Each structure stands twice: as C-alpha cells, then as structure tokens.
Amino acid sequence: MKNAVTPSTARAGFLGWWARGFRNLGVELTRSWYVFAILCLIWTLAALRVFGSHTPLLPILFNVTPSIPYRVVWADYGTRQFARGDLIVYSFRGPAANADYPGLRGQPFFKRVVGVAGDVVAVQGREVFVNGASVGVAKTHSFDRRPLAPIVPGVIPAGQLYVQGTSADSFDSRYRASGLVPVASVTAKVRPLF
C-alpha cells in the first residue's frame, strides 16, 4: 500500500497545515502590524458594545435604521436641556423593556423630540396628536404580529419627552409599549453630519 493514510499521518498533515498557517500569519503581522492593530481595536470595541454596555461612548455615532434620515451624527453628552426638534439618543427603558421586548432593554434609540413637558398628547382612533398637530398614526401590530396600543392621551409630565422617528415603522412614543422617554434616559443630544 503505497499511499495509505493512517490516522497518525492525517493528524500530522493537519497539524502541519495549522503550523504553516500560523507561520504565515506571523509574517503578515510583522509586515502589516498597524492593520491588525486597527482590526483588533474595532473588534474589541464591538465586543464591548455587544457584551458590555449598550450605551454609545464615542462622540461620533452611526445610524443604520430608517428611524432618522441621518447616517452619521456628532453626540453632545453634556447637554441636559432638550427642545422640540432636537435629535437625541436615549437608552430604552419603556414599559415593554421588561415584559414584551426584554431584548430592547438598555438599547440606544435615535429619535427626534416632538413633545416636551406641558405639551398635550391626544389620540383619535389611531392617529396621535401633540398640541393639536398630527404626528403620525400608530400601527395595529408590530412586525412580529404583537398587538400595539397607541399611547395614553394626556399632558406630558415634567422630566419626560415624547419622541418619534421619521419612519412610519418607527417604534417610538406613539405606542404605549414604548411610552414617553425620561430625560434621565437620554444619553446625548446629536447634531447630524450627513
């Protein structure tokens, strides 16, 4: 048997293949160490973001959702005053964070402030109004077919904000499950870059 492959020769071939791979990686690391350093930094930040804190930490944020039409924004973490029209990032703590959508708890949401303390929220059918101006229609069901109830009408209390995205599918203050946003949950006021 000239070409017989035994388990020990197969194992030796596999280990040799791995050894050659690590040798080649070592050569590439010494040649292009800065590329690998950047990749390691990106992966480390991504791992911290996924497995650690969901709160954005850098002053530049990237939006990949249709919630707001801006893709890159500058975050101001020091501002604590918010007005209608401001764009904010907040940590989701809505009523549904514990019951219906526990995976959303603490996730950063990117929305526009539509109502502030003292503004009046009204609902006619499924259409939502803030200070008499229509701000959108609440859908009947989410994408995963869970029923969605519109927000409870009333006056926005102190320390709360009514927020909304520009997309008709945005999960925002139109819905009871999301609700009003406590000012304490806002992590940053943002300025669009593009």
Side-chain angles (χ1 to χ4, degrees), residues 90-149:
Y90 65 96
S91 179
F92 183 72
R93 307 222 189 290
N98 295 322
D100 300 329
Y101 299 94
L104 293 179
R105 187 180 321 119
Q107 289 294 322
F109 276 30
F110 185 29
K111 308 286 182 200
R112 181 180 307 278
V113 175
V114 176
V116 295
D119 289 351
V120 178
V121 177
V123 179
Q124 291 178 356
R126 297 199 72 83
E127 189 170 5
V128 181
F129 299 84
V130 174
N131 292 337
S134 176
V135 294
V137 176
K139 294 170 45 173
T140 58
H141 289 83
S142 64
F143 284 120
D144 60 359
R145 304 305 305 153
R146 294 182 201 196
L148 291 171

Side-chain angles (χ1 to χ4, degrees), residues 27-127:
V27 169
E28 288 300 320
L29 277 172
T30 56
R31 209 182 289 163
S32 306
W33 64 270
Y34 51 89
V35 173
F36 287 97
I38 291 170
L39 288 174
C40 282
L41 176 64
I42 290 169
W43 278 103
T44 301
L45 289 173
L48 286 173
R49 173 80 168 76
V50 171
F51 299 113
S53 171
H54 296 302
T55 305
L57 303 173
L58 301 175
I60 293 192
L61 303 176
F62 300 93
N63 178 35
V64 294
T65 69
S67 226
I68 297 289
Y70 307 109
R71 295 294 169 230
V72 181
V73 296
W74 180 264
D76 177 4
Y77 293 105
T79 302
R80 300 311 310 157
Q81 297 292 323
F82 307 104
R84 282 180 222 92
D86 286 347
L87 296 173
I88 62 169
V89 173
Y90 65 96
S91 179
F92 183 72
R93 307 222 189 290
N98 295 322
D100 300 329
Y101 299 94
L104 293 179
R105 187 180 321 119
Q107 289 294 322
F109 276 30
F110 185 29
K111 308 286 182 200
R112 181 180 307 278
V113 175
V114 176
V116 295
D119 289 351
V120 178
V121 177
V123 179
Q124 291 178 356
R126 297 199 72 83
E127 189 170 5

